[in-house]
Amino acid sequence: MLTFSENVYTSRREKLFTLIHTGIGIFFSNEMLPMNYPSNTFPFRPNSSFLYFFGIPLPSIIGMIDFDEKKVMLFGDDVDIEDIIWMGKLPTLKELGSLSGVEQVYPLDKAEEFLKKVISQKRFVHFLPPYQYPQQSYLSSLLNIPINEVKKLASSELIKAVVACRSVKSNEEIQELKKAADIGYRMHLEAFRRAVTGTSEQEIAGILEGIAWAYGKGPSFPIILTQRGEILHNHHHDQLLQDGRLLLIDAGAQANSYYASDYTRVIPVNGRFSDRQKEIYQIVLNALNHAISLIRPGKYYRDIHLEACKIIAKGLKDLHLLKGDVDEIVEAGAHALFFPHGLGHMIGLDVHDMEDLGENFVGYDETIQRSHQFGLAYLRLARQLQEGFTLTVEPGIYFIPPLIEKWEQEKKFKDFIVYDEVKKWIGFGGIRLEDDVVVTPNGCEHIGKRLPIIIEEIENIL
């Protein structure tokens, strides 16, 4: 039932002991949440940090780590006969704890009793930012603080320690990421096969979601499948595929271990890119390949992002959509009219790995702070790369009518942007290409087999 062996979870907690020395750490497994009435719930998804340190993929469990006394405890209830009638017999928490290397197991109602004792002793309680309401309510009541203050009081010490543990992936984790990559590969190839004029976006999106559930724990995020590629996170699947349009597919899967994949491809509905579509596609592909070639330990991902921006700016300048010096265009941020997001993000047990802990803890550190410049400010990962980091690389070019109109009215970057030419591209949509990679000692490697991406490759498959 647990993905890894007992010693994996034990060694992860041992590393945490080297980073934090006092207080009590609380890890919630998550709760079943109602879809429309209490007993009809959304599919359960364990909290990733609980999963990382304890491995038990079940709801309503609390893991605690006593950093002073080097103790680890689990609090949860076993199923009773009424539960067994509906769900069947499940392993006891004692049995599951043993698989995770935890011997001290107690009923769930003992958790509050234990924590109240800890608080009365003036010991520090570490917790991660809760994103489910039941956890927020529990901590609010326990710590006697307003519920809207709970997230603000999360332990930055515990957050930093968890990020330090989870950022570098082990060989076992890489193997799980490859399983997720294989499912993502199946999903995208099926989309390629079904991208026929007259097919509905909804039908294809539904089939991809079915593949994600057939081979794993479902999609790693709500599937983006759209002919409106200029809308960065377009989850509407309400159109029929039209001849000559581009279909953007941003989709990934969770393996049964919950490790994630995240790929984006863009394909022409009629099976052939137009010359105009090829021009933009090739610029994005050049930016992607160049960025991947620069990834290695010690490089700051923000620097790689800016190098990808220069490839995009040069390509758009060649098409007479931008003018002036490429370095000056990127330094000013004029290219962000077309590429308004960051190059990528960490990936692991979450598709945006550890985003619940706060992007500034995960993608930034004391050596590099978030920019306030439009576009660059949205970079989720900027910090120095290390061997074992797993991340996405996803440049794009978009023609976003409201943004073009706004910037033109403001005469923004008029020394760099040729608005009369840019407006001729309204209606084109957008192109984003995305791969998942792992940082190796001397560069990086794709996680799993690379999806077809070269123009000729795509057209031959279609």
Side-chain angles (χ1 to χ4, degrees), residues 12 25 32 54 57 66 68 71 100 112 115 126 167 178 180 182 202 255 261 264 277 295 319 331-332 367 394 414 454:
R12 289 172 176 178
M32 301 292 291
F54 296 94
D66 187 328
D68 297 286
K71 289 181 181 177
S100 181
E112 188 171 348
L115 288 169
H126 300 273
S167 291
K178 287 181 177 178
D182 288 344
Q202 182 177 350
S261 61
T264 308
Q277 290 167 346
I295 292 173
L319 292 178
E331 185 178 359
T367 69
E394 48 179 315
K414 58 184 177 58
I454 297 168

mmCIF file of all heavy atoms in Angstrom, residues 12 25 32 54 57 66 68 71 100 112 115 126 167 178 180 182 202 255 261 264 277 295 319 331-332 367 394 414 454:
data_model
loop_
_atom_site.group_PDB
_atom_site.id
_atom_site.type_symbol
_atom_site.label_atom_id
_atom_site.label_comp_id
_atom_site.label_asym_id
_atom_site.label_seq_id
_atom_site.Cartn_x
_atom_site.Cartn_y
_atom_site.Cartn_z
ATOM 1 N N ARG A 12 14.023 9.868 5.422
ATOM 2 C CA ARG A 12 13.495 11.213 5.164
ATOM 3 C C ARG A 12 13.244 11.949 6.471
ATOM 4 O O ARG A 12 13.565 13.133 6.605
ATOM 5 C CB ARG A 12 12.196 11.115 4.351
ATOM 6 C CG ARG A 12 12.393 10.689 2.910
ATOM 7 C CD ARG A 12 11.060 10.437 2.224
ATOM 8 N NE ARG A 12 11.246 10.128 0.806
ATOM 9 C CZ ARG A 12 10.250 9.825 -0.020
ATOM 10 N NH1 ARG A 12 8.997 9.801 0.431
ATOM 11 N NH2 ARG A 12 10.503 9.563 -1.289
ATOM 12 N N GLY A 25 6.339 18.943 15.220
ATOM 13 C CA GLY A 25 5.874 19.151 13.845
ATOM 14 C C GLY A 25 4.595 18.386 13.587
ATOM 15 O O GLY A 25 4.489 17.200 13.938
ATOM 16 N N MET A 32 -11.488 13.789 3.526
ATOM 17 C CA MET A 32 -12.419 13.607 2.413
ATOM 18 C C MET A 32 -13.329 14.832 2.376
ATOM 19 O O MET A 32 -13.894 15.216 3.404
ATOM 20 C CB MET A 32 -13.256 12.348 2.611
ATOM 21 C CG MET A 32 -12.460 11.061 2.720
ATOM 22 S SD MET A 32 -11.663 10.596 1.182
ATOM 23 C CE MET A 32 -13.054 10.166 0.155
ATOM 24 N N PHE A 54 5.491 10.069 5.609
ATOM 25 C CA PHE A 54 4.813 8.941 6.253
ATOM 26 C C PHE A 54 4.317 7.891 5.260
ATOM 27 O O PHE A 54 4.150 6.732 5.645
ATOM 28 C CB PHE A 54 3.657 9.441 7.123
ATOM 29 C CG PHE A 54 4.105 10.289 8.278
ATOM 30 C CD1 PHE A 54 4.154 11.672 8.157
ATOM 31 C CD2 PHE A 54 4.500 9.720 9.475
ATOM 32 C CE1 PHE A 54 4.565 12.476 9.221
ATOM 33 C CE2 PHE A 54 4.916 10.506 10.549
ATOM 34 C CZ PHE A 54 4.958 11.892 10.416
ATOM 35 N N PRO A 57 -1.476 6.660 2.266
ATOM 36 C CA PRO A 57 -2.388 7.435 1.406
ATOM 37 C C PRO A 57 -3.842 7.369 1.856
ATOM 38 O O PRO A 57 -4.745 7.085 1.061
ATOM 39 C CB PRO A 57 -2.197 6.767 0.044
ATOM 40 C CG PRO A 57 -1.937 5.333 0.379
ATOM 41 C CD PRO A 57 -1.188 5.328 1.693
ATOM 42 N N ASP A 66 8.301 14.768 17.155
ATOM 43 C CA ASP A 66 8.826 15.465 18.325
ATOM 44 C C ASP A 66 10.314 15.668 18.098
ATOM 45 O O ASP A 66 11.109 14.723 18.206
ATOM 46 C CB ASP A 66 8.573 14.622 19.582
ATOM 47 C CG ASP A 66 8.945 15.354 20.868
ATOM 48 O OD1 ASP A 66 9.896 16.164 20.838
ATOM 49 O OD2 ASP A 66 8.301 15.106 21.902
ATOM 50 N N ASP A 68 12.428 17.463 19.826
ATOM 51 C CA ASP A 68 13.236 17.458 21.053
ATOM 52 C C ASP A 68 13.639 16.041 21.441
ATOM 53 O O ASP A 68 14.797 15.774 21.770
ATOM 54 C CB ASP A 68 12.450 18.098 22.209
ATOM 55 C CG ASP A 68 12.138 19.560 21.958
ATOM 56 O OD1 ASP A 68 13.059 20.381 22.066
ATOM 57 O OD2 ASP A 68 10.973 19.872 21.637
ATOM 58 N N LYS A 71 11.096 11.615 18.474
ATOM 59 C CA LYS A 71 10.014 10.643 18.412
ATOM 60 C C LYS A 71 9.111 10.929 17.217
ATOM 61 O O LYS A 71 8.928 12.087 16.831
ATOM 62 C CB LYS A 71 9.173 10.690 19.696
ATOM 63 C CG LYS A 71 9.863 10.145 20.932
ATOM 64 C CD LYS A 71 8.903 10.233 22.115
ATOM 65 C CE LYS A 71 9.548 9.719 23.395
ATOM 66 N NZ LYS A 71 8.637 9.873 24.557
ATOM 67 N N SER A 100 5.793 2.173 7.608
ATOM 68 C CA SER A 100 6.432 3.482 7.497
ATOM 69 C C SER A 100 7.525 3.686 8.545
ATOM 70 O O SER A 100 8.151 4.742 8.597
ATOM 71 C CB SER A 100 5.366 4.581 7.645
ATOM 72 O OG SER A 100 5.925 5.858 7.517
ATOM 73 N N GLU A 112 -5.361 15.817 19.923
ATOM 74 C CA GLU A 112 -5.645 17.111 20.526
ATOM 75 C C GLU A 112 -5.195 17.145 21.981
ATOM 76 O O GLU A 112 -4.637 18.150 22.455
ATOM 77 C CB GLU A 112 -7.139 17.425 20.421
ATOM 78 C CG GLU A 112 -7.487 18.839 20.844
ATOM 79 C CD GLU A 112 -8.928 19.203 20.524
ATOM 80 O OE1 GLU A 112 -9.595 18.447 19.780
ATOM 81 O OE2 GLU A 112 -9.379 20.245 21.026
ATOM 82 N N LEU A 115 -1.444 17.591 21.960
ATOM 83 C CA LEU A 115 -1.026 18.933 21.549
ATOM 84 C C LEU A 115 -1.337 19.984 22.619
ATOM 85 O O LEU A 115 -0.568 20.929 22.804
ATOM 86 C CB LEU A 115 -1.684 19.298 20.216
ATOM 87 C CG LEU A 115 -1.129 18.559 18.996
ATOM 88 C CD1 LEU A 115 -2.006 18.782 17.768
ATOM 89 C CD2 LEU A 115 0.302 18.993 18.698
ATOM 90 N N HIS A 126 5.151 23.439 15.189
ATOM 91 C CA HIS A 126 5.422 23.703 13.773
ATOM 92 C C HIS A 126 4.309 23.099 12.922
ATOM 93 O O HIS A 126 3.939 21.932 13.107
ATOM 94 C CB HIS A 126 6.736 23.029 13.328
ATOM 95 C CG HIS A 126 7.961 23.475 14.062
ATOM 96 N ND1 HIS A 126 8.700 24.567 13.667
ATOM 97 C CD2 HIS A 126 8.594 22.956 15.141
ATOM 98 C CE1 HIS A 126 9.744 24.696 14.475
ATOM 99 N NE2 HIS A 126 9.705 23.740 15.382
ATOM 100 N N SER A 167 13.142 18.896 -2.415
ATOM 101 C CA SER A 167 13.586 19.486 -3.688
ATOM 102 C C SER A 167 14.461 18.539 -4.500
ATOM 103 O O SER A 167 14.322 18.445 -5.721
ATOM 104 C CB SER A 167 14.350 20.792 -3.433
ATOM 105 O OG SER A 167 13.478 21.795 -2.971
ATOM 106 N N LYS A 178 9.016 8.843 -13.823
ATOM 107 C CA LYS A 178 9.014 8.229 -15.164
ATOM 108 C C LYS A 178 7.709 7.487 -15.431
ATOM 109 O O LYS A 178 7.203 7.470 -16.556
ATOM 110 C CB LYS A 178 10.217 7.290 -15.311
ATOM 111 C CG LYS A 178 11.550 8.015 -15.459
ATOM 112 C CD LYS A 178 12.712 7.046 -15.622
ATOM 113 C CE LYS A 178 14.020 7.809 -15.832
ATOM 114 N NZ LYS A 178 15.181 6.881 -15.954
ATOM 115 N N ALA A 180 4.809 8.385 -14.209
ATOM 116 C CA ALA A 180 3.861 9.459 -14.525
ATOM 117 C C ALA A 180 4.082 9.986 -15.935
ATOM 118 O O ALA A 180 3.130 10.304 -16.654
ATOM 119 C CB ALA A 180 4.008 10.591 -13.510
ATOM 120 N N ASP A 182 5.194 8.278 -18.478
ATOM 121 C CA ASP A 182 4.675 7.294 -19.446
ATOM 122 C C ASP A 182 3.168 7.464 -19.638
ATOM 123 O O ASP A 182 2.652 7.352 -20.758
ATOM 124 C CB ASP A 182 4.970 5.870 -18.961
ATOM 125 C CG ASP A 182 6.445 5.512 -19.067
ATOM 126 O OD1 ASP A 182 7.180 6.231 -19.777
ATOM 127 O OD2 ASP A 182 6.868 4.530 -18.431
ATOM 128 N N GLN A 202 -14.226 18.669 -25.614
ATOM 129 C CA GLN A 202 -14.661 17.968 -24.410
ATOM 130 C C GLN A 202 -14.446 16.464 -24.537
ATOM 131 O O GLN A 202 -14.020 15.807 -23.577
ATOM 132 C CB GLN A 202 -16.130 18.261 -24.123
ATOM 133 C CG GLN A 202 -16.645 17.590 -22.844
ATOM 134 C CD GLN A 202 -18.093 17.944 -22.541
ATOM 135 O OE1 GLN A 202 -18.654 18.824 -23.159
ATOM 136 N NE2 GLN A 202 -18.687 17.254 -21.582
ATOM 137 N N ALA A 255 1.124 9.216 -11.239
ATOM 138 C CA ALA A 255 1.321 7.780 -11.077
ATOM 139 C C ALA A 255 0.542 7.320 -9.848
ATOM 140 O O ALA A 255 0.018 8.137 -9.081
ATOM 141 C CB ALA A 255 2.809 7.474 -10.924
ATOM 142 N N SER A 261 3.404 14.227 -13.843
ATOM 143 C CA SER A 261 4.007 14.669 -15.106
ATOM 144 C C SER A 261 3.226 15.867 -15.621
ATOM 145 O O SER A 261 2.099 16.130 -15.184
ATOM 146 C CB SER A 261 4.012 13.545 -16.157
ATOM 147 O OG SER A 261 2.684 13.125 -16.462
ATOM 148 N N THR A 264 3.212 19.881 -22.504
ATOM 149 C CA THR A 264 2.373 20.675 -23.407
ATOM 150 C C THR A 264 2.853 20.473 -24.837
ATOM 151 O O THR A 264 4.056 20.538 -25.113
ATOM 152 C CB THR A 264 2.427 22.180 -23.072
ATOM 153 O OG1 THR A 264 2.142 22.359 -21.685
ATOM 154 C CG2 THR A 264 1.406 22.949 -23.894
ATOM 155 N N GLN A 277 2.003 29.373 -38.902
ATOM 156 C CA GLN A 277 2.046 28.596 -37.669
ATOM 157 C C GLN A 277 3.434 28.004 -37.441
ATOM 158 O O GLN A 277 3.935 27.985 -36.314
ATOM 159 C CB GLN A 277 1.000 27.481 -37.723
ATOM 160 C CG GLN A 277 -0.439 28.002 -37.639
ATOM 161 C CD GLN A 277 -1.465 26.941 -38.001
ATOM 162 O OE1 GLN A 277 -1.128 25.880 -38.559
ATOM 163 N NE2 GLN A 277 -2.736 27.223 -37.705
ATOM 164 N N ILE A 295 20.566 23.976 -18.910
ATOM 165 C CA ILE A 295 20.275 23.497 -17.555
ATOM 166 C C ILE A 295 21.421 22.627 -17.037
ATOM 167 O O ILE A 295 21.845 21.677 -17.695
ATOM 168 C CB ILE A 295 18.955 22.716 -17.538
ATOM 169 C CG1 ILE A 295 17.771 23.659 -17.816
ATOM 170 C CG2 ILE A 295 18.756 21.979 -16.215
ATOM 171 C CD1 ILE A 295 16.444 22.951 -17.974
ATOM 172 N N LEU A 319 10.365 38.523 -37.472
ATOM 173 C CA LEU A 319 9.030 38.598 -38.083
ATOM 174 C C LEU A 319 8.484 40.025 -38.077
ATOM 175 O O LEU A 319 7.322 40.246 -38.419
ATOM 176 C CB LEU A 319 8.059 37.673 -37.326
ATOM 177 C CG LEU A 319 8.312 36.158 -37.441
ATOM 178 C CD1 LEU A 319 7.304 35.387 -36.603
ATOM 179 C CD2 LEU A 319 8.259 35.701 -38.892
ATOM 180 N N GLU A 331 15.520 43.142 -21.385
ATOM 181 C CA GLU A 331 15.782 43.865 -20.146
ATOM 182 C C GLU A 331 14.614 44.776 -19.778
ATOM 183 O O GLU A 331 14.222 44.880 -18.604
ATOM 184 C CB GLU A 331 17.062 44.693 -20.284
ATOM 185 C CG GLU A 331 17.465 45.387 -18.985
ATOM 186 C CD GLU A 331 18.767 46.168 -19.103
ATOM 187 O OE1 GLU A 331 19.379 46.159 -20.190
ATOM 188 O OE2 GLU A 331 19.164 46.803 -18.112
ATOM 189 N N ALA A 332 14.013 45.392 -20.782
ATOM 190 C CA ALA A 332 12.865 46.276 -20.531
ATOM 191 C C ALA A 332 11.594 45.491 -20.215
ATOM 192 O O ALA A 332 10.686 45.994 -19.542
ATOM 193 C CB ALA A 332 12.633 47.170 -21.746
ATOM 194 N N THR A 367 19.404 34.077 -1.903
ATOM 195 C CA THR A 367 20.327 34.568 -2.943
ATOM 196 C C THR A 367 19.609 35.223 -4.114
ATOM 197 O O THR A 367 20.248 35.891 -4.931
ATOM 198 C CB THR A 367 21.193 33.427 -3.494
ATOM 199 O OG1 THR A 367 20.380 32.520 -4.256
ATOM 200 C CG2 THR A 367 21.891 32.670 -2.373
ATOM 201 N N GLU A 394 8.948 25.382 -20.203
ATOM 202 C CA GLU A 394 7.750 25.628 -21.004
ATOM 203 C C GLU A 394 7.657 27.061 -21.534
ATOM 204 O O GLU A 394 6.829 27.839 -21.050
ATOM 205 C CB GLU A 394 6.492 25.279 -20.203
ATOM 206 C CG GLU A 394 6.435 25.841 -18.797
ATOM 207 C CD GLU A 394 5.147 25.462 -18.075
ATOM 208 O OE1 GLU A 394 4.062 25.569 -18.674
ATOM 209 O OE2 GLU A 394 5.236 25.059 -16.915
ATOM 210 N N LYS A 414 6.663 51.397 -27.035
ATOM 211 C CA LYS A 414 6.471 51.727 -28.458
ATOM 212 C C LYS A 414 7.790 51.765 -29.218
ATOM 213 O O LYS A 414 7.792 51.681 -30.452
ATOM 214 C CB LYS A 414 5.722 53.046 -28.609
ATOM 215 C CG LYS A 414 6.382 54.254 -27.961
ATOM 216 C CD LYS A 414 5.504 55.495 -28.077
ATOM 217 C CE LYS A 414 6.097 56.696 -27.368
ATOM 218 N NZ LYS A 414 7.429 57.066 -27.842
ATOM 219 N N ILE A 454 9.131 17.816 -33.006
ATOM 220 C CA ILE A 454 9.597 18.462 -34.243
ATOM 221 C C ILE A 454 8.420 18.542 -35.212
ATOM 222 O O ILE A 454 7.581 17.638 -35.283
ATOM 223 C CB ILE A 454 10.760 17.650 -34.853
ATOM 224 C CG1 ILE A 454 11.951 17.642 -33.875
ATOM 225 C CG2 ILE A 454 11.198 18.193 -36.208
ATOM 226 C CD1 ILE A 454 13.036 16.650 -34.227
#
